[in-house]
C-alpha cells in the first residue's frame, strides 16, 4: 500500500530526477516571454518510456502557476489538428477570461475560435458535423478561410493579443507530435514562424519520437531555427539512484548499494523501467533495506510485466509480415540498423519490404534514424524480440 513507485504512461514519478536542465530551459522560456522578449517554441524528443509526456505535463503545470492560459492535445495520424487545437485554445482562453477587464475582447476571440473550429473539413463534407460549445456567434472573415495555415496563424495571433492584454502567455502542448499530418505540421510551423516575428506571447511545446526534428524540417526548412530542441535520454547513474532512493526515504525505507547496482543494470537508466523494477522490488522485499537478493527475486516478475504491458501490447499490433521485419531488425543488433542488412537477413529486395517498414513507422514501432537506417522506438525492444518465437 505504501509503494511509492509509479510505472505508467505519462504518470509522474514520485521523484522527477535528472531533468533539471530541461526544467531550467523552460523556466527561461516562461521568464523571457513574461518580459516581452522573443523566444522560440520548444520540442522534446526521445524514445518511448524516457518521460517526455511527464515533462510536457510538468511544463504545463509550470505555465499554469504563472497564470498562463494552457491547452494540451495528443496528435493522431488520422486526425486533422483543427478540432483538437480548437478545444485546447478554448480551454486556454477560459483560464484567462476571469482576469480580463474587457469581456468583449474575450467574446471577440471566442467568435474567431468558433469560426476556426467550424471549418473542420470533416464537418464541411457533412460526415461529422461538429460545433464547439461556445455561446457566441462565429466571426466571419477571420480564421475561417478553410486554409489551415492561414486560419491557424490568425487564431494564434488573436490568442496572443488577448494574453498580451493580461501580461501573460498562452502555451499549446502537443504530445505525439510526430503523428501530426504533414499539411498540419506545415501550418503549425508557419503559425509559429509568424508569432516569432511579431513577438506574440504564444508558444507551442511539442513532444515526440527521435525523428520529429526531421519531420519538422521536411515540412518547413526554417523549422530548425524555429524551435528549441531538447533530446530526452536515459538517466545517468546518480539520477536513476535518486529516482529510487528519494521516494523510499520518505517512507523510511533504504536500498543496499548492491541492490542499486542491480537495479541500474536491469533498468539501464530508462525512467519507465526504473519505476517498473523499483515497484516490484518494493513489493517482494520483506523489510528494509531492500537487498540485491530482493532485486533478483523481483526481476523476473518485472520483466514479465514489461513483456505483457510495455513490449507485448506493441508487438500485438504488428501484422505477421511486420513482426518478421522486426525480428530481422533485432537479429542485426540493437543500434540503428541499415535497411539493406534487414533485407539481406530476410533474403528479399529492400524495395519489397517498404510496405512493412512504412507501416511500422506509421504505427510508431520503428523510426528512420537517418537515411538508410532504422531503429526501434522502444528501448530494449530488440532484446524482447530475440526472446520471442517467430
Amino acid at each position: 500500500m505504501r509503494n511509492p513507485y509509479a510505472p505508467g504512461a505519462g504518470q509522474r514519478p514520485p521523484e522527477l530526477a535528472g531533468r533539471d536542465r530541461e526544467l531550467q530551459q523552460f523556466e527561461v522560456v516562461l521568464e523571457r516571454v513574461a518580459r516581452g522578449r522573443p523566444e522560440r517554441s520548444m520540442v522534446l524528443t526521445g524514445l518511448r518510456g524516457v518521460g517526455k509526456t511527464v515533462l510536457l505535463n510538468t511544463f504545463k503545470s509550470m505555465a499554469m502557476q504563472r497564470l498562463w492560459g494552457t491547452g494540451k492535445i495528443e496528435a493522431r495520424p488520422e486526425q486533422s489538428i483543427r478540432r483538437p487545437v480548437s478545444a485546447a485554445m478554448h480551454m486556454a482562453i477560459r483560464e484567462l477570461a476571469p482576469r480580463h477587464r474587457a469581456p468583449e475582447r474575450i467574446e471577440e476571440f471566442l467568435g474567431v475560435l468558433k469560426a476556426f473550429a467550424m471549418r473542420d473539413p470533416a464537418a464541411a463534407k457533412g460526415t461529422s458535423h461538429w460545433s464547439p460549445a461556445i455561446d457566441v456567434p462565429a466571426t466571419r472573415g477571420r480564421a475561417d478561410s478553410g486554409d489551415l495555415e492561414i486560419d491557424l496563424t490568425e487564431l494564434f495571433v488573436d490568442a496572443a493579443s488577448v494574453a498580451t492584454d493580461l501580461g501573460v502567455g498562452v502555451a499549446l502542448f502537443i504530445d505525439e507530435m510526430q503523428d501530426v499530418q504533414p499539411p498540419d505540421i506545415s501550418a503549425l510551423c508557419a503559425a509559429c514562424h509568424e508569432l516569432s516575428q511579431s513577438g506574440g506571447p504564444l508558444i507551442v511545446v511539442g513532444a515526440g519520437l527521435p525523428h520529429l526534428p526531421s519531420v519538422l524540417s521536411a515540412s518547413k526548412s526554417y523549422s530548425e531555427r524555429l524551435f528549441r530542441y531538447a533530446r530526452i535520454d536515459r538517466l545517468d547513474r546518480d539520477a536513476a539512484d535518486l529516482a529510487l532512493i528519494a521516494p523510499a526515504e520518505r517512507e523510511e525505507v533504504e536500498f543496499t548499494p548492491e541492490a542499486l547496482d542491480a537495479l541500474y543494470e536491469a533498468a539501464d537508466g530508462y525512467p519507465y523501467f526504473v519505476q517498473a523494477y523499483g515497484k516490484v522490488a518494493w513489493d517482494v522485499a520483506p523489510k528494509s533495506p531492500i537487498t540485491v537478493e530482493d532485486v533478483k527475486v523481483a526481476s523476473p516478475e518485472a520483466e514479465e510485466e514489461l513483456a505483457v504491458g510495455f513490449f507485448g501490447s506493441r508487438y500485438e499490433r504488428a501484422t505477421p509480415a511486420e513482426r518478421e521485419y522486426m525480428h530481422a531488425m533485432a537479429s542485426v543488433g540493437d543500434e540503428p540498423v541499415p535497411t539493406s542488412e534487414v533485407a539481406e537477413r530476410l533474403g528479399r529486395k529492400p524495395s519489397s519490404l517498404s510496405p512493412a517498414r512504412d507501416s511500422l513507422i506509421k504505427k510508431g514501432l520503428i523510426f528512420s534514424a537517418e537515411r538508410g537506417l532504422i531503429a526501434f522506438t522502444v528501448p530494449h525492444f530488440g532484446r524482447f524480440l530475440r526472446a520471442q518465437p517467430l
Side-chain angles (χ1 to χ4, degrees), residues 85-130:
V85 163
S86 302
M89 295 304 289
H90 189 201
M91 179 173 288
I93 294 303
R94 279 170 59 192
E95 289 174 2
L96 298 182
R99 305 199 306 278
H100 207 289
R101 291 184 297 276
E104 64 276 6
R105 284 281 287 116
I106 297 292
E107 286 198 8
E108 186 182 313
F109 174 77
L110 290 177
V112 172
L113 178 60
K114 190 169 187 175
F116 173 84
M118 292 178 72
R119 286 309 303 247
D120 180 40
K125 292 172 189 168
T127 55
S128 173
H129 181 69
W130 180 70

Side-chain angles (χ1 to χ4, degrees), residues 303-326:
E303 284 162 13
E304 189 177 339
E305 285 187 18
L306 288 169
V308 174
F310 193 70
F311 299 120
S313 59
R314 291 173 166 84
Y315 185 69
E316 292 300 322
R317 287 164 48 202
T319 66
E322 291 163 2
R323 291 178 188 179
E324 186 182 31
Y325 191 91
M326 290 193 294

Side-chain angles (χ1 to χ4, degrees), residues 3 5 244 255 259 262-263 266 273-286 290-306:
N3 193 328
Y5 303 108
L244 291 165
F255 289 86
L263 284 166
F273 296 166
V274 169
Q275 296 298 312
Y277 281 93
K279 186 174 193 300
V280 180
W282 177 288
D283 283 346
V284 303
I290 296 172
T291 68
V292 67
E293 292 304 321
D294 297 326
V295 176
K296 285 178 183 174
V297 173
S299 289
E301 187 179 331
E303 284 162 13
E304 189 177 339
E305 285 187 18
L306 288 169

